Amino acid sequence: MNNQKGSMLVVVIMLLALLSIMGVASIRTSNTELEIATNNLIRKRCFFNAESGITSTLRLLPSILDDEDQIENATLDWQGSISNVNSPPFFDVSIMHEMQDGKVLFYGDTNEDYLLEYNTDGIGYPVEIVESHGTDYRGGKAVVNVGVRYEEAFPMPKAALWVGDDVYANGVSGSVLGEGPPGEEDKCEEAYDILHNSPLSVIDYTGDTGPSEKIDQDLSLYPYPLISNYFSRSPLLSESQYSNETFGSPENPGVFRAEGDLEIRASDGYVFFWLKEILR
């Protein structure tokens, strides 16, 4: 009973065994946490890659629809795609038209009030369902679905000019006043020359070469507000006076902004002016 030789060895062995068990448990816990962190990183990478696919699709979508003739001739079974599988960010995107009552759903101005509505009459751009699959080279996948509708930042007004106050111009050609480009006058046959928002506005033009002596006017204010972030994206007219200038073209009408008074003489163009103050 009193012989305790070797007991210390047993205690040491037990302590070593306990420390070994604790070490193995710590290693397993660390490995588990590392796997969780790695999987979380992969999941986030897949999600952000899928988001990159959505962003890339939104940028390319108008050209994809136009190249494949899916704007005016949208078909029920059409499916577009873009992919980036050889280098990060890895994504594969499919695009389909949204349906309503067995027809392609569009978003456009159906009653010429400058406000866009959903419709199945083929007016505007088709509404799209975009599904992006994001992957990572270590495995995993994330799927992001969004609905996309195309809306112009600057819907072109059905008139030559929109003004918030007085407007004066000299030597303005007929094409600026809404008659349409030479040989295509009928494009603006029913358009007003000027949209303005105040019955007290002074509308004074000289040098009108169009077929009518009177400039058609409409008091209905162009309803889209001057949203600051849209306004700042349009090209700024750096000068307050222009002569013999051409703005825009029939194929690509310009959208310009003036942050003060503006005087235009003997100029021509196809243009929509955003004005913070007065056009003169």
Side-chain angles (χ1 to χ4, degrees):
M1 296 289 295
N2 295 326
N3 187 3
Q4 298 183 2
K5 291 181 179 180
S7 61
M8 184 59 71
L9 179 60
V10 174
V11 172
V12 171
I13 292 174
M14 292 178 64
L15 289 174
L16 289 174
L18 179 61
L19 291 173
S20 297
I21 294 173
M22 293 175 63
V24 171
S26 298
I27 291 174
R28 288 183 176 178
T29 301
S30 298
N31 288 339
T32 301
E33 291 179 351
L34 181 60
E35 289 179 3
I36 293 174
T38 301
N39 290 336
N40 186 50
L41 176 62
I42 293 174
R43 182 184 65 82
K44 288 183 177 179
R45 284 181 178 272
C46 291
F47 175 77
F48 289 134
N49 288 343
E51 286 282 293
S52 296
I54 296 293
T55 302
S56 298
T57 301
L58 294 181
R59 178 171 51 86
L60 298 173
L61 186 57
S63 62
I64 292 175
L65 294 173
D66 187 52
D67 292 342
E68 300 191 21
D69 194 24
Q70 290 297 313
I71 298 176
E72 296 182 359
N73 301 296
T75 53
L76 295 174
D77 58 349
W78 176 82
Q79 180 170 332
S81 64
I82 67 170
S83 63
N84 190 67
V85 296
N86 296 320
S87 61
F90 304 104
F91 59 79
D92 189 18
V93 180
S94 63
I95 311 163
M96 298 180 63
H97 298 318
E98 185 169 346
M99 303 295 172
Q100 185 177 86
D101 300 328
K103 297 180 180 180
V104 177
L105 184 64
F106 284 78
Y107 190 65
D109 184 3
T110 60
N111 54 6
E112 298 186 351
D113 62 352
Y114 300 107
L115 303 178
L116 306 184
E117 303 89 16
Y118 290 104
N119 67 90
T120 56
D121 299 324
I123 298 175
Y125 278 77
V127 181
E128 307 302 331
I129 302 297
V130 179
E131 181 173 290
S132 178
H133 295 250
T135 58
D136 186 75
Y137 66 92
R138 290 172 291 188
K141 177 184 289 187
V143 180
V144 176
N145 287 277
V146 297
V148 179
R149 69 184 192 189
Y150 181 86
E151 182 173 357
E152 295 176 333
F154 296 103
M156 295 302 292
K158 300 172 181 63
L161 294 175
W162 176 90
V163 296
D165 210 322
D166 300 346
V167 54
Y168 301 87
N170 297 312
V172 180
S173 69
S175 57
V176 174
L177 298 180
E179 274 77 36
E184 302 180 39
E185 290 81 3
D186 58 325
K187 285 188 175 182
C188 295
E189 183 178 0
E190 298 181 359
Y192 286 98
D193 296 324
I194 303 172
L195 291 176
H196 60 100
N197 69 334
S198 170
L200 301 179
S201 295
V202 176
I203 309 297
D204 184 12
Y205 269 81
T206 60
D208 177 16
T209 60
S212 173
E213 297 181 358
K214 181 181 178 181
I215 298 174
D216 294 328
Q217 301 176 26
D218 185 7
L219 295 179
S220 302
L221 176 64
Y222 183 63
Y224 280 83
L226 288 176
I227 303 175
S228 59
N229 61 334
Y230 286 164
F231 184 84
S232 62
R233 294 176 190 174
S234 56
L236 174 65
L237 297 176
S238 58
E239 301 178 11
S240 61
Q241 295 184 353
Y242 290 87
S243 297
N244 299 311
E245 194 80 22
T246 298
F247 298 94
S249 67
E251 297 77 19
N252 186 26
V255 179
F256 302 90
R257 63 186 169 103
E259 298 187 348
D261 294 351
L262 179 64
E263 183 175 341
I264 301 175
R265 297 177 181 273
S267 297
D268 190 11
Y270 312 91
V271 61
F272 176 33
F273 289 108
W274 287 87
L275 306 170
K276 277 192 173 179
E277 294 182 7
I278 303 173
L279 175 66
R280 293 186 183 279

